[in-house]
Amino acid sequence: MDRLTTARPCWAEINTRSLEHNYRFLRSFAGPQTACVAVVKADAYGHGLSLCAPAAVRAGARWLGVTSVEEGVAARAVCPDARILVMGGVFPGQADAVVAHGLTPAVWDAAQLNELASAASDWLLGPLRVHLEIDTGMSRQGVSLADLTSLLDNFTVTGPLRLEAVMTHLYASDEAVSVRTTLQLGRLEEALGILASAHPGAAPELLSVGASAALLGGQMEALNSLAERAKLRLMLRLGLALYGVTPRFTPPFAAGEEPETLARARRELEPVLAWKTRVASVRTIAPGTEIGYNGTFIASEPMRVALIPAGYADGLDRRLGNRFNALVRGQLAPFAGRISMDQSVLDVTEIDGVEPGDEVVLLGTQSGQNLSAYDHAEAAGTIPWEVFTRIAARVPRVAV
Ligand SMILES: *Cc1c(COP(=O)(O)O)cnc(C)c1O
């Protein structure tokens, strides 16, 4: 028996062909004039970096996006030729690793730039390309418009740093009508004006702005026209959609106002991850029997319940206890009682013939029934990004 058939049965199947399909689909949506970063931060949104980053590259991705230098080094090990954008910044002492592994950092403060400049000079590999992040309203990272002019003094025509892209992050691109996005793009254009007027040493090629929601939610016109006015090539950074999840908009689009792009994405994007386990045992319980910690579920009639080896330490949200389902034999089986750390119990009273070894789908499709990342997120009061990234490291990611 191979390792998987002898392992604790709680695993995530990763369909790398679906990821490739999604990348190509998004790419064709974005158009040939637009550069696309395949965002593979946080272990490829919990899908497994070593499976997903090479798949994105196979599909044509030239850029990968990661959070940290550590993640960049891991991505470099599996994708020797990709450009790798480190979006979450470079911390003190990491500049040499940036240069050594050929990473491209997002930068926004003078201390980062100084360290990177001296590392780039030491290594004598030619100028280090960096992406300058502007804070256009999110107040998370990025240089403010007020500090931009003095920061730009770090870029000179012959210096060790080259400003390849101007970057910003939209913080409300999933709002159907976003005044915030309009304001952000206004501030970004102001920053581009400062850049163009004062600094011949800072002549970027790329304008890096917009994630999945901006591409699919109808903001491309605004982004394209801004890039055109600035004579820059637009760059998108695509995460969630790459994994087959179409972003939802809050508030949602009014009837008839949803962009066609979004409906098409829902039809064509393919989920990449399916999270599965198997029934460990089945027991019959009498009315009045309690299930799980603190007896939050009490059987009101004779029941059949199935134990599964998946709990909150596997990333199954504890808030799903008594309020969500898994799929067994193509039917919804409610979680009965609390989710434990390593196990949970399903009510399979209504499902005929359930027996130990039956495959259970926690997230994904079984016999035409589907439990999506959004279904999980809504039941647990969170977002699909968190559902995916919480699937624990002990759950093996298996290519299918
Ligand atoms: C995660 C991230 C993205 C990707 O966002 P999605 O909504 O998942 O497409 C883009 N840009 C930055 C800076 C990010 O951190």
Side-chain angles (χ1 to χ4, degrees), residues 39 41 45 87 133 140 167 169 210-213 237-241 385:
V39 177
K41 65 188 178 192
Y45 286 41
M87 302 186 296
E133 178 144 2
R140 189 172 70 168
M167 170 176 175
H169 194 43
S212 301
R237 306 180 305 264
L238 305 172
L240 192 68
W385 293 262

Side-chain angles (χ1 to χ4, degrees), residues 41-71:
K41 65 188 178 192
D43 201 28
Y45 286 41
H47 289 55
L49 177 77
S50 59
L51 295 175
C52 294
V57 169
R58 280 199 299 281
R62 300 180 54 201
W63 284 88
L64 301 171
V66 297
T67 283
S68 61
V69 171
E70 289 85 345
E71 289 183 1

Side-chain angles (χ1 to χ4, degrees), residues 20 33 48 54 66 113 116 129 137 154 161 173 177 180 209 217 249 263 282 296 308-309 338 368:
E20 292 175 45
Q33 77 288 355
V66 297
L113 288 172
L116 288 165
R129 293 169 287 192
N154 289 278
L161 300 178
S173 62
V177 181
R180 295 186 176 91
V209 48
F249 287 71
V282 182
T296 61
I308 56 171
R338 293 216 157 118

